[in-house]
Amino acid sequence: DAVAAIKAGTLLATAVQPAVVISQMAVDEAAKFLKTGKTGKAEKQSVDCLLVNTSNTAKYTLFGLKS
């Protein structure tokens, strides 16, 4: 587990892809496509990853970082 390794000091940091955000985007765009025939978005889209390090491991959850 990367977060445990960060807490133990054997790993400096890792990155988390926000699966919930990506899933929400997919559902929203699928719904728009079904209604209009278009998403209005590019086929490839960038989603920022979240850096997890010693300063925020307490905020880490299975799906990202708590605010």
Side-chain angles (χ1 to χ4, degrees), residues 7-44:
K7 288 178 180 179
T10 58
L11 183 65
L12 292 177
T14 189
V16 175
Q17 290 182 320
V20 172
V21 172
I22 294 168
S23 299
Q24 287 172 334
M25 288 172 56
V27 170
D28 291 344
E29 290 177 30
K32 186 171 183 179
F33 182 82
L34 291 173
K35 291 178 185 172
T36 68
K38 301 181 207 176
T39 63
K41 304 277 184 168
E43 183 176 344
K44 293 183 181 181

Side-chain angles (χ1 to χ4, degrees), residues 3 6 14-21 49-53 55-67:
V3 173
I6 293 168
T14 189
V16 175
Q17 290 182 320
V20 172
V21 172
C49 292
L50 307 170
L51 178 68
V52 179
N53 59 26
S55 71
N56 61 6
T57 54
K59 294 181 178 179
Y60 175 79
T61 69
L62 185 58
F63 299 109
L65 294 175
K66 293 185 263 183
S67 299

